[in-house]
Amino acid sequence: MLQTIRCIYITINMKNIVIFGPPGSGKGTQSNHIINKYQLTHVSTGDVIRSEIKAKSEIGQQVESLIENGQLVPDQLIVELLAEWLEKQNDSNGIIFDGFPRTTNQAVALKQMLQKQGQDVDLMLSLEVPKEELVSRLVKRGQDSGRSDDNLATIEKRITVYEEVTAPVIDFYKKENTYVSINGVGSEKEIFATICSHIDTL
Ligand code: AMP
């Protein structure tokens, strides 16, 4: 009985947030602030993939060249990786999804995965940053990130993939009534304050 009450309590209080935006829009930076303040569990599918590559796993080897070329990993593969990760989570205050979903198919898959646990995405924060600013931030990051995809040619490609394949995900969350646009230009602190004002309404 106590366990049941506890489960209901956890489910009701969970905040599942998608942090969305083009590469270089500050998803990782703002995720860190959100995790610290709201004690959410963070998943970055980019990090998951990079660790597969580092471990030289079968999946890692399959996707390494895609990432180096700024292309997306196939939906089925990334959804499987995320489902595997999700199954291992319990007792969380909620999850912040960083870099996922990146296609409308992934958004549908995420909804289905969460629905199995009686949950949904509660908020989709879309960081908006002009292209010139994204390029300059990513070129700068490339000087010390050591990431094979932070070079000018791949950066341009990643932004094009975002505009053509990922941006339409916004329409999915508009229909779900969870989409919020955030001005991603300004100080980290200002942007975080705007983000908090939305999370606090949940
Ligand atoms: P990120 O660290 O989020 O910038 O992701 C780095 C790269 O990993 C992307 O350019 C994609 O190649 C791949 N990736 C990360 N998340 C996804 C996703 N949800 N769907 C497909 N590819 C992804």
Side-chain angles (χ1 to χ4, degrees):
M1 179 65 179
L2 195 64
Q3 185 65 18
T4 315
I5 293 169
R6 197 160 153 260
C7 285
I8 293 169
Y9 178 79
I10 288 165
T11 307
I12 291 169
N13 282 281
M14 283 181 73
K15 294 176 170 72
N16 293 313
I17 299 172
V18 166
I19 187 143
F20 186 85
S25 56
K27 300 187 293 293
T29 306
Q30 292 299 332
S31 290
N32 285 334
H33 292 307
I34 297 170
I35 302 158
N36 289 335
K37 178 161 179 180
Y38 297 95
Q39 276 88 50
L40 302 186
T41 303
H42 176 231
V43 60
S44 149
T45 42
D47 286 349
V48 172
I49 293 166
R50 279 184 289 275
S51 61
E52 293 285 334
I53 293 174
K54 208 168 160 203
K56 298 198 187 310
S57 70
E58 204 178 307
I59 290 180
Q61 290 178 27
Q62 270 176 39
V63 301
E64 190 165 8
S65 67
L66 291 175
I67 295 202
E68 274 172 13
N69 291 315
Q71 289 167 299
L72 293 185
V73 170
D75 284 340
Q76 197 191 336
L77 224 160
I78 197 88
V79 168
E80 273 170 27
L81 277 177
L82 188 77
E84 232 172 71
W85 180 89
L86 259 180
E87 271 171 25
K88 292 186 213 137
Q89 307 308 310
N90 54 11
D91 262 29
S92 150
N93 290 330
I95 297 168
I96 175 136
F97 296 91
D98 165 2
F100 188 97
R102 261 176 155 99
T103 64
T104 303
N105 282 339
Q106 292 179 18
V108 172
L110 179 59
K111 187 167 176 77
Q112 289 167 348
M113 283 187 263
L114 290 174
Q115 251 169 1
K116 283 188 196 151
Q117 303 173 3
Q119 295 174 51
D120 206 343
V121 169
D122 301 295
L123 186 63
M124 189 270 211
L125 299 163
S126 176
L127 293 167
E128 315 287 343
V129 178
K131 185 173 172 184
E132 315 75 67
E133 170 80 12
L134 295 172
V135 175
S136 102
R137 286 184 191 180
L138 288 167
V139 167
K140 220 165 160 192
R141 186 175 83 181
Q143 288 161 3
D144 32 44
S145 73
R147 273 178 57 162
S148 61
D149 56 354
D150 278 347
N151 61 76
L152 193 55
T154 312
I155 288 167
E156 295 274 1
K157 172 83 187 152
R158 285 158 64 205
I159 294 174
T160 305
V161 168
Y162 171 81
E163 287 165 349
E164 290 175 358
V165 188
T166 304
V169 171
I170 288 175
D171 292 331
F172 178 89
Y173 287 103
K174 277 186 179 165
K175 285 188 199 129
E176 296 278 306
N177 284 321
T178 47
Y179 162 82
V180 170
S181 166
I182 306 280
N183 178 6
V185 182
S187 74
E188 255 179 68
K189 220 174 151 188
E190 275 166 5
I191 299 167
F192 184 54
T194 311
I195 286 177
C196 292
S197 71
H198 292 285
I199 297 180
D200 290 340
T201 63
L202 293 179

